[in-house]
Amino acid sequence: MAPARGGGSGSGWKLSEEAVCREDVVRLCSKHSWANNLAVLECLQDVREPDNEISSDCNHLLWNYKLNLTTDPKFESVAREVCKSTIAEIKECADEPVGKGFLVSCLVDHRGNITEYQCHQYITKMTAIIFSDYRLICGFMDDCKADINLLKCGSIRPGEKDAHSQGEVVACLEKGLVKEAEETDPRIQVSDECKKAILRVAELSSDDFHLDRHLYFACRDDRERFCENTQAGEGRVYKCLFNHKFEESMSEKCRDALTTRQKLIAQDYKVSYSLAKSCKSDLKKYRCNVENLPRSREARLSYLLMCLESAVHRGRQVSSECQGEMLDYRRMLMEDFSLSPEIILSCRGEIEHHCSGLHRKGRTLHCLMKVVRGEKGNVGPNCQQALQTLIQETDPGADYRIDRALNEACESVIQTACKHIRSGDPMILSCLMEHLYTEKMVEDCEHRLLELQYFISRDWKLDTVLYRKCQGDASRLCHTHGWNETSELMPPGAVFSCLYRHAYRTEEQGRRLSRECRAEVQRILHQRAMDVKLDPVLQDKCMIDLGKWCSEKTETGQELECLQDHLDDLVSDCRDIVGNLTELESEDIQIEALLMRACEPIIQTFCHEVADNQIDSGDLMECLIQNKHQKEMNEKCAIGVTHFQLVQMKDFRFSYKFKMACKEDVLKLCPNIKKKVDVVICLSTTVRNDTLQDAKEHRVSLKCRKQLRVEELEMTEDIRLEPELYEACKSDIKNYCQNVPYGNAQIIECLKEIKKQLSTRCHQKVFKLQETEMMDPELDYTLMRVCKQMIKRFCPEADSKNMLQCLKQNKNSEVMDPKCKQMITKRQITQNTDYRLNPVLRKACKADIPKFCQNILNRAKDDTELEGQVISCLKLKYADQRLSPDCEDQIRVIIQESALDYRLDPQLQMHCSDEISSLCAEEAAAQEQTGQVEECLKVNLLKIKTEMCKKDSGGFSHNPGFEKMIHLSETLISMSFVQSPFSEMSFPPLQEVLNMLKESKADIFVDPVLHTACALDIKHHCAAIPPGRGRQMSCLMEALEDKRVRLQPECKKRLNDRIEMWSYAAKVAPAEGFSDLAMQVMTSPSKNYILSVITVGICVLFLIGLMCGRITKRVTRELKDSLPTPSCERRIKKKKKEKRKN
């Protein structure tokens, strides 16, 4: 055995002088170290290159020398002298027996507690000697002898000259320990005593990497390459090598050795010198080393991290050194999945099948996350739980830098979009989520971010800011426990659901969240709206429906929209979840982050005030709807707003303001109705009935009536918001309006314009819609939009139901907008097709219509236009002066308007369509209608072949009084009291016709061309004569006959033209029967004159009859006298009978 003499450079035995080692010393060690045995020992035992290995005999000599050093009483006595005060403080070492080498080993074990400089230096030297061979470590051989044999660690390198020294045996045992933890049913198990010894050795070698002999030799070159300037001690070299573990130039044997070391740290945090030292006081302070916990748990790195993270999340102070070490090891766990035995145990199959070959830089973990998200297949629940546990242990939500894969993928995005946020701040993740799907986001970052957020969203505690702001509310309202504690009654995924249920409670409902917590809940909801997979409850309940209805909806945000579109088809649980989320969105549409992003320009321009409100309450969506058709509106925003409107129609609860204003009214008046459109109809009908019946008190509350009005107006903008109308007209839209956009009520307007071509069901629905709009013009979206400025100008105080009437009255104003004027004309044309579409006329003539036009009503069909028949009927009665005053006023207005625009007379359009297109096409195409078409038809009266058109032309349909004049004229001609104007085209016979015209009910206003031509003459010659009943026309005719009066040439020409027309009209429009003639005579103002003429005629006939009667009477008497009387005849017959007998 080699003597243990001379640890220093003094005289005595020298290792360098021993024959078996002299050659190796000269070859390997510098000459100045030859005199120092410990320096020579360190030099020789650090040689591991195959070409430079020392001889076997020298190795044996070194072994005996080291053994003697640890057991020699002289070295022990030196230790007792140098470390006197230290030994007194460490009771375990003071009690060690003398002469067995245990004292030095005990001091090595407790070297971390040695404060004496000389003692520390001495023990450091001895540590290098002891750790060079596992057999020199106190108690190690006794504890692990059986395991060495079981694991076959006694001969690491067969054929090697020294099979027993160095750190190979320890490394073999360490790998066996690690392998056991990674197997479900390990074939070979390391004994508990040896486990403790292995971890203790690893712990004791944690400060100086030289002491881990296997790692030292495996990583010596890598240390020179990566950590040349890193000073040994306190685990610094270990940390440096860990940081470069995945570098391409790192040797594989060093990487394996480092991984083994990291796995030991995962099993016992004390194997990391820097972590154990930095967090020692914090572990004690926050009771993370609880005595009654099994060592296997309390020593695990995960337990330490969870315990200290809990303290940080609770706002407790943890030293910056400890937090720095925690950050390093959390990053380490995220980088290499193999450091987590649970991942290897639970996810082995998934890794092999989906993620093989992605070991480095956290790629395997993110691959597994991707699989869990359902993007690459299925994953078992145990693997998912292991991943969730790892995410909680590493807590990357607190600092994105922990996730290296995310950090590298998102570095450019963070530098541009989130540079205003301090590096490592938990709000970086929120910033990244806010820029998801924007131009600043890159694809790789997007994937890594969503993969991580998938797990963070499933445990509210993993969102650091949310937990910090809401832990008090969660404890108060949701009965949660500590950060690292769980409860079966309130699992982590359920806490957020509890929080958001309280976030939108009203003050009356009580138990609301604090303002700070509510803001965080809204932030999380905004993030979750981007991807249904970020909402664990929604994904869980709707998994089947997502596959069934939305498998092809892969674009951003489409899955939730798809579920909302198929709401009625979803299974009950999914429908409830989607319904609740949609109801929540209706209150705070800002939850829809993608929609908000698309609508940013319109919000900034028109809705910034409501967008800035802390509480939305549906105001922002209402503002967006109102401004949906502004020029600043972009397509994405318009589509999103419209989609939300369509979803709202499925349930009245999805319209927050409507729900809050009318929920009590709905429960009372419409209890079993769910769909919004049906609720609106139900409430609107109730309001209308109460109004018509002049109810003293409305059944629908005032606040509900106001919001109901808003909903009614919004529904008119898009036909899809009126489901019954849309369903009835789907085929017609496809056939006739396929290229027409839905917005701005353009489809509805298209259907109105081609109404006659529509299918019966669609036609009926459109007619009903028009009837509703005419009763309440404010519901006419197109009219209100086109005439918005004109309404402000002319009708600012007009009631909504009188809006169209007000516009009609101002239609011909010089400042009237042409587009608005054109729209008013369209609505007038619609009104004149059916009296039911003109509520003012309908009310004014409610007694006259059934009285005079019942035969037309009997033939009419519901929901089908009468093509102006009732109005034409009333025009005829207007000429007869048989209408009530109110009705007469309305018909007069219609006649006057129709005279200016032929389109306002549906009967004329219907009967004269061919003539208008062939004879008056140019006039009909004029942008401004001022009676040109009517004048054209009058001029071309002789060319008109259609009988019905002849009767309607020449102003006859607008001039019922003139029609009567025609009938009377023809009647008098047929009675031979006037000469036919067609026998000779002379004016004297026409004088009677003109006299009749003066008495007719017609007036000049029904002939706009004549009225325009004679306007100046009326002012000069007929100013004192009130209009109406033919008075001004008679005045002009008298002026025409009076040679003293000089009319304007144009007026005179037009009057003469009319005379010629009326002459011809007497032939083409005779009286239809004696009753018609009698009625015309009796209602004429000249009936006395006409009756006098008829009476004189009858008297003349009577006198002639009397004269004829006198003549015939004398002749008859003479004849009678020449005939025998009856008595005479009887006597003659008697005599004849007697003669026969004889």
Side-chain angles (χ1 to χ4, degrees):
M1 180 178 290
R5 300 186 293 266
S9 58
S11 60
W13 180 81
K14 299 287 191 297
L15 265 175
S16 59
E17 296 175 357
E18 290 292 325
V20 294
C21 290
R22 185 180 296 117
E23 183 183 346
D24 295 310
V25 171
V26 171
R27 180 167 51 88
L28 299 172
C29 302
S30 58
K31 190 172 182 179
H32 72 272
S33 66
W34 291 356
N36 190 322
N37 286 341
L38 292 179
V40 172
L41 177 63
E42 184 176 358
C43 167
L44 293 177
Q45 73 178 11
D46 284 353
V47 175
R48 287 301 300 270
E49 287 78 3
D51 296 337
N52 291 327
E53 284 188 351
I54 59 178
S55 65
S56 178
D57 292 338
C58 182
N59 237 334
H60 187 69
L61 177 67
L62 293 178
W63 156 249
N64 286 317
Y65 177 67
K66 289 186 288 186
L67 182 60
N68 289 336
L69 283 178
T70 58
T71 57
D72 193 329
K74 290 183 179 179
F75 278 89
E76 191 173 290
S77 62
V78 172
R80 288 186 182 276
E81 183 66 30
V82 174
C83 301
K84 187 175 182 179
S85 60
T86 301
I87 294 171
E89 293 174 0
I90 304 173
K91 188 175 182 299
E92 294 177 22
C93 298
D95 296 338
E96 292 289 354
V98 179
K100 293 187 176 182
F102 290 165
L103 176 63
V104 175
S105 294
C106 179
L107 289 171
V108 169
D109 286 355
H110 292 85
R111 70 187 186 280
N113 298 324
I114 297 175
T115 56
E116 292 180 83
Y117 177 74
Q118 289 185 339
C119 180
H120 190 275
Q121 288 292 99
Y122 178 74
I123 294 302
T124 299
K125 288 288 184 182
M126 294 306 295
T127 301
I129 295 170
I130 291 172
F131 273 84
S132 65
D133 196 302
Y134 73 95
R135 293 170 298 176
L136 299 178
I137 302 171
C138 179
F140 186 83
M141 189 67 182
D142 296 334
D143 291 335
C144 293
K145 186 175 183 179
D147 298 280
I148 291 171
N149 293 326
L150 184 65
L151 294 168
K152 298 180 180 180
C153 295
S155 179
I156 302 302
R157 294 166 66 183
E160 190 177 339
K161 296 175 183 176
D162 181 14
H164 305 290
S165 61
Q166 313 305 331
E168 298 295 343
V169 174
V170 177
C172 174
L173 289 172
E174 289 175 345
K175 289 180 179 178
L177 178 62
V178 168
K179 186 176 181 182
E180 178 188 333
E182 295 173 353
E183 293 180 354
T184 308
D185 188 16
R187 184 171 53 87
I188 299 175
Q189 294 183 348
V190 180
S191 65
D192 291 341
E193 292 79 9
C194 187
K195 282 181 183 178
K196 291 178 182 178
I198 293 169
L199 292 173
R200 181 62 177 158
V201 168
E203 178 186 339
L204 292 172
S205 62
S206 63
D207 64 334
D208 189 346
F209 92 110
H210 292 89
L211 303 182
D212 187 333
R213 304 307 293 173
H214 173 70
L215 186 144
Y216 169 72
F217 287 115
C219 297
R220 189 159 50 181
D221 292 341
D222 299 282
R223 187 267 171 98
E224 294 300 321
R225 186 180 302 115
F226 298 112
C227 309
E228 182 180 4
N229 299 321
T230 303
Q231 187 178 357
E234 297 188 350
R236 286 187 288 267
V237 176
Y238 285 126
K239 290 189 69 174
C240 174
L241 290 171
F242 288 159
N243 291 334
H244 292 88
K245 175 180 167 181
F246 290 115
E247 296 289 343
E248 295 293 334
S249 54
M250 172 71 73
S251 66
E252 200 62 40
K253 62 180 181 179
C254 180
R255 186 179 292 120
D256 290 341
L258 290 171
T259 300
T260 301
R261 185 84 190 177
Q262 288 176 318
K263 289 180 179 180
L264 292 175
I265 294 173
Q267 292 198 31
D268 189 343
Y269 73 90
K270 293 179 182 177
V271 176
S272 170
Y273 178 87
S274 56
L275 179 64
K277 180 182 178 183
S278 300
C279 296
K280 183 177 180 180
S281 59
D282 295 294
L283 290 169
K284 185 177 181 180
K285 182 178 180 180
Y286 298 115
R287 300 172 59 83
C288 296
N289 281 327
V290 183
E291 296 299 331
N292 59 359
L293 288 174
R295 177 172 175 78
S296 61
R297 176 180 174 185
E298 71 171 36
R300 284 184 66 86
L301 176 63
S302 59
Y303 176 76
L304 172 142
L305 292 175
M306 295 276 281
C307 181
L308 292 178
E309 284 168 14
S310 176
V312 173
H313 284 297
R314 292 199 307 269
R316 308 294 173 82
Q317 190 67 36
V318 175
S319 66
S320 58
E321 295 83 0
C322 181
Q323 289 200 48
E325 289 294 325
M326 288 170 61
L327 181 66
D328 289 339
Y329 284 97
R330 284 152 62 191
R331 184 188 293 119
M332 181 185 78
L333 291 173
M334 281 294 291
E335 277 187 353
D336 191 347
F337 76 95
S338 66
L339 304 184
S340 303
E342 295 84 1
I343 298 293
I344 296 175
L345 281 171
S346 305
C347 302
R348 182 176 281 112
E350 287 81 357
I351 292 171
E352 291 176 357
H353 191 261
H354 299 291
C355 308
S356 59
L358 299 173
H359 185 76
R360 300 178 178 182
K361 299 182 181 180
R363 293 173 186 166
T364 303
L365 280 176
H366 271 278
C367 174
L368 289 172
M369 293 177 186
K370 191 172 185 178
V371 176
V372 172
R373 271 177 55 84
E375 296 179 22
K376 290 181 65 175
N378 296 319
V379 67
N382 292 336
C383 180
Q384 183 167 345
Q385 184 56 49
L387 285 168
Q388 188 72 46
T389 302
L390 177 61
I391 298 298
Q392 185 173 4
E393 291 170 2
T394 56
D395 194 17
D399 190 335
Y400 73 95
R401 296 172 298 180
I402 292 169
D403 189 341
R404 182 170 178 177
L406 174 71
N407 188 15
E408 291 182 356
C410 297
E411 185 176 3
S412 61
V413 183
I414 294 170
Q415 292 300 321
T416 54
C418 310
K419 59 184 178 181
H420 60 286
I421 304 175
R422 178 180 56 84
S423 180
D425 193 290
M427 287 307 293
I428 289 282
L429 279 181
S430 286
C431 174
L432 290 173
M433 286 299 293
E434 288 172 7
H435 290 86
L436 196 64
Y437 309 124
T438 65
E439 294 178 354
K440 293 183 179 180
M441 179 60 64
V442 296
E443 185 177 3
D444 198 28
C445 177
E446 177 183 307
H447 293 316
R448 303 295 85 77
L449 180 62
L450 287 174
E451 288 155 9
L452 178 61
Q453 283 289 348
Y454 179 88
F455 289 90
I456 292 178
S457 67
R458 275 149 181 78
D459 189 344
W460 76 291
K461 295 176 293 187
L462 299 182
D463 190 300
T464 306
V465 181
L466 174 69
Y467 183 80
R468 187 167 65 241
K469 298 292 179 66
C470 292
Q471 57 181 321
D473 295 279
S475 177
R476 175 171 55 90
L477 301 171
C478 309
H479 312 291
T480 57
H481 299 273
W483 187 86
N484 57 343
E485 298 176 13
T486 58
S487 167
E488 292 183 1
L489 296 176
M490 187 59 69
V495 176
F496 185 77
S497 298
C498 169
L499 289 173
Y500 95 69
R501 281 197 302 273
H502 288 86
Y504 291 90
R505 288 194 170 192
T506 61
E507 292 183 3
E508 293 79 9
Q509 292 172 318
R511 296 176 68 81
R512 300 183 70 191
L513 297 184
S514 63
R515 178 175 294 183
E516 287 184 342
C517 180
R518 189 177 192 273
E520 291 307 311
V521 170
Q522 288 176 323
R523 174 179 65 83
I524 300 299
L525 288 172
H526 296 173
Q527 294 177 4
R528 291 187 175 188
M530 296 185 187
D531 191 329
V532 293
K533 292 171 185 172
L534 298 182
D535 191 327
V537 180
L538 177 66
Q539 189 185 27
D540 180 49
K541 300 294 185 184
C542 297
M543 186 66 71
I544 296 174
D545 289 301
L546 282 167
K548 184 176 181 181
W549 305 109
C550 310
S551 57
E552 298 180 359
K553 303 292 184 180
T554 57
E555 293 296 323
T556 306
Q558 282 188 340
E559 287 179 316
L560 179 58
E561 289 183 0
C562 170
L563 290 174
Q564 291 172 330
D565 291 339
H566 291 88
L567 186 66
D568 297 332
D569 303 318
L570 305 180
V571 297
S572 177
D573 289 345
C574 179
R575 184 167 60 248
D576 291 343
I577 293 293
V578 175
N580 291 337
L581 181 59
T582 308
E583 189 175 352
L584 196 61
E585 286 180 350
S586 73
E587 179 178 357
D588 183 7
I589 194 59
Q590 295 187 60
I591 290 173
E592 276 281 8
L594 294 174
L595 177 62
M596 291 300 97
R597 193 177 295 158
C599 295
E600 184 66 23
I602 203 81
I603 291 173
Q604 291 300 322
T605 307
F606 298 101
C607 309
H608 60 91
E609 292 183 0
V610 293
D612 294 338
N613 292 342
Q614 287 288 333
I615 301 176
D616 185 352
S617 301
D619 294 325
L620 182 55
M621 176 49 73
E622 188 175 278
C623 176
L624 287 172
I625 291 172
Q626 290 171 354
N627 294 281
K628 192 167 73 169
H629 297 288
Q630 297 288 350
K631 62 181 180 181
E632 291 85 356
M633 177 64 73
N634 58 70
E635 184 180 5
K636 282 187 177 180
C637 180
I639 290 174
V641 172
T642 300
H643 175 265
F644 195 78
Q645 286 182 281
L646 295 174
V647 171
Q648 285 182 326
M649 303 311 294
K650 296 178 182 292
D651 195 320
F652 81 96
R653 295 179 300 123
F654 297 165
S655 299
Y656 178 75
K657 300 192 82 171
F658 184 45
K659 176 188 72 174
M660 297 307 293
C662 297
K663 57 184 178 182
E664 295 176 0
D665 302 272
V666 173
L667 288 173
K668 181 174 64 175
L669 301 169
C670 317
N672 299 318
I673 301 177
K674 182 179 178 182
K675 289 189 175 181
K676 179 181 173 182
V677 64
D678 296 331
V679 171
V680 169
I681 292 172
C682 170
L683 294 175
S684 298
T685 303
T686 305
V687 171
R688 185 181 63 187
N689 292 340
D690 288 348
T691 303
L692 293 175
Q693 295 169 10
D694 295 326
K696 292 182 179 179
E697 186 175 345
H698 276 277
R699 287 175 287 173
V700 179
S701 64
L702 178 61
K703 65 177 181 179
C704 180
R705 293 202 303 272
K706 289 181 178 179
Q707 190 59 37
L708 180 64
R709 188 65 179 173
V710 173
E711 302 300 329
E712 288 177 328
L713 295 176
E714 287 180 1
M715 286 168 60
T716 62
E717 181 268 333
D718 192 321
I719 192 172
R720 293 171 296 181
L721 300 179
E722 300 194 48
E724 286 191 11
L725 175 62
Y726 181 55
E727 287 299 320
C729 297
K730 257 187 177 179
S731 60
D732 298 278
I733 293 171
K734 185 177 180 180
N735 293 334
Y736 305 113
C737 309
Q738 191 172 8
N739 299 322
V740 178
Y742 280 98
N744 265 338
Q746 293 177 83
I747 290 286
I748 295 175
E749 201 62 25
C750 171
L751 294 174
K752 289 176 182 177
E753 290 177 0
I754 48 102
K755 191 164 55 175
K756 292 183 180 179
Q757 304 172 46
L758 300 178
S759 60
T760 304
R761 184 162 170 247
C762 180
H763 192 143
Q764 291 173 348
K765 292 292 182 183
V766 172
F767 179 81
K768 277 293 184 185
L769 174 67
Q770 288 181 314
E771 190 174 1
T772 303
E773 289 178 348
M774 292 304 178
M775 290 180 66
D776 191 349
E778 197 174 17
L779 298 179
D780 187 340
Y781 184 89
T782 307
L783 177 69
M784 293 296 103
R785 178 177 62 84
V786 174
C787 295
K788 184 177 181 181
Q789 297 303 322
M790 296 300 100
I791 290 172
K792 289 181 179 179
R793 178 186 289 271
F794 295 111
C795 314
E797 298 179 359
D799 182 72
S800 61
K801 291 180 172 51
N802 297 323
M803 201 71 71
L804 180 58
Q805 194 70 16
C806 172
L807 289 171
K808 283 159 62 175
Q809 291 169 358
N810 294 278
K811 172 184 170 183
N812 295 316
S813 171
E814 292 181 358
V815 293
M816 173 60 72
D817 177 61
K819 289 183 178 179
C820 179
K821 185 174 183 178
Q822 186 179 7
M823 185 54 61
I824 297 168
T825 301
K826 278 188 178 182
R827 295 303 179 255
Q828 287 180 292
I829 293 170
T830 300
Q831 283 190 324
N832 286 357
T833 59
D834 197 304
Y835 77 98
R836 290 170 292 183
L837 301 180
N838 190 336
V840 178
L841 174 68
R842 189 175 185 176
K843 182 179 180 181
C845 301
K846 62 181 179 182
D848 302 84
I849 292 172
K851 181 178 179 182
F852 300 115
C853 312
Q854 188 61 48
N855 59 329
I856 298 173
L857 298 180
N858 293 338
R859 297 194 303 270
K861 295 180 181 179
D862 291 339
D863 308 327
T864 305
E865 289 88 343
L866 297 173
E867 300 298 343
Q869 294 179 61
V870 171
I871 295 177
S872 293
C873 166
L874 292 173
K875 287 179 181 178
L876 293 174
K877 301 308 172 186
Y878 169 81
D880 296 339
Q881 302 178 26
R882 298 178 65 186
L883 299 179
S884 62
D886 290 342
C887 185
E888 185 175 302
D889 291 341
Q890 290 303 316
I891 292 297
R892 183 185 301 114
V893 172
I894 291 175
I895 291 173
Q896 189 172 1
E897 290 171 344
S898 302
L900 291 170
D901 193 336
Y902 76 99
R903 296 170 299 177
L904 300 182
D905 190 333
Q907 290 286 298
L908 178 66
Q909 269 196 300
M910 184 168 62
H911 295 143
C912 299
S913 57
D914 293 339
E915 285 77 6
I916 292 172
S917 59
S918 60
L919 300 174
C920 310
E922 185 177 346
E923 290 81 356
Q927 188 172 1
E928 186 77 14
Q929 289 293 324
T930 55
Q932 310 99 307
V933 174
E934 289 87 341
E935 183 68 13
C936 172
L937 289 173
K938 293 172 186 176
V939 170
N940 293 283
L941 192 58
L942 293 173
K943 298 178 182 179
I944 296 174
K945 304 300 182 185
T946 309
E947 289 299 323
M948 291 300 295
C949 183
K950 283 184 178 180
K951 291 192 67 176
D952 286 334
S953 299
F956 308 142
S957 63
H958 305 309
N959 191 343
F962 182 61
E963 289 180 1
K964 308 311 176 196
M965 180 275 293
I966 292 173
H967 300 330
L968 290 174
S969 176
E970 183 63 22
T971 301
L972 293 177
I973 290 169
S974 65
M975 293 176 62
S976 302
F977 289 114
V978 292
Q979 185 177 354
S980 170
F982 303 105
S983 59
E984 293 180 13
M985 290 302 293
S986 58
F987 284 102
L990 190 60
Q991 184 63 46
E992 294 295 327
V993 175
L994 296 177
N995 290 336
M996 299 251 179
L997 177 62
K998 293 175 186 177
E999 300 170 356
S1000 71
K1001 294 181 181 179
D1003 208 340
I1004 194 167
F1005 69 79
V1006 303
D1007 191 337
V1009 175
L1010 181 63
H1011 186 267
T1012 302
C1014 298
L1016 195 59
D1017 295 295
I1018 292 173
K1019 184 177 181 181
H1020 288 166
H1021 308 297
C1022 308
I1025 298 174
R1029 302 199 175 183
R1031 289 186 284 263
Q1032 288 187 341
M1033 182 69 81
S1034 299
C1035 172
L1036 287 175
M1037 287 298 181
E1038 290 175 359
L1040 181 64
E1041 290 295 313
D1042 192 342
K1043 295 181 180 180
R1044 295 171 298 175
V1045 177
R1046 295 188 62 183
L1047 298 177
Q1048 295 292 321
E1050 183 66 17
C1051 179
K1052 188 173 182 179
K1053 179 179 178 298
R1054 293 293 179 186
L1055 284 172
N1056 286 323
D1057 289 343
R1058 295 299 180 269
I1059 292 171
E1060 292 180 14
M1061 289 182 216
W1062 296 338
S1063 299
Y1064 177 67
K1067 180 178 180 181
V1068 298
E1072 295 178 355
F1074 182 79
S1075 60
D1076 189 21
L1077 178 60
M1079 182 62 70
Q1080 293 173 31
V1081 172
M1082 293 305 296
T1083 57
S1084 173
S1086 304
K1087 68 177 180 180
N1088 292 334
Y1089 170 75
I1090 297 171
L1091 291 175
S1092 299
V1093 171
I1094 293 173
T1095 302
V1096 169
I1098 293 172
C1099 290
V1100 169
L1101 289 174
F1102 180 72
L1103 291 174
I1104 293 172
L1106 286 178
M1107 291 174 62
C1108 291
R1110 285 290 183 183
I1111 296 170
T1112 55
K1113 187 175 181 181
R1114 285 198 297 270
V1115 174
T1116 302
R1117 186 172 296 171
E1118 289 176 356
L1119 289 172
K1120 285 182 178 181
D1121 290 343
S1122 63
L1123 293 173
T1125 63
S1127 59
C1128 183
E1129 286 180 358
R1130 285 196 297 271
R1131 285 197 297 270
I1132 292 170
K1133 287 180 180 179
K1134 188 176 181 182
K1135 285 181 179 181
K1136 286 181 179 181
K1137 285 181 181 180
E1138 288 176 353
K1139 283 181 179 180
R1140 289 191 191 106
K1141 288 180 181 179
N1142 295 329

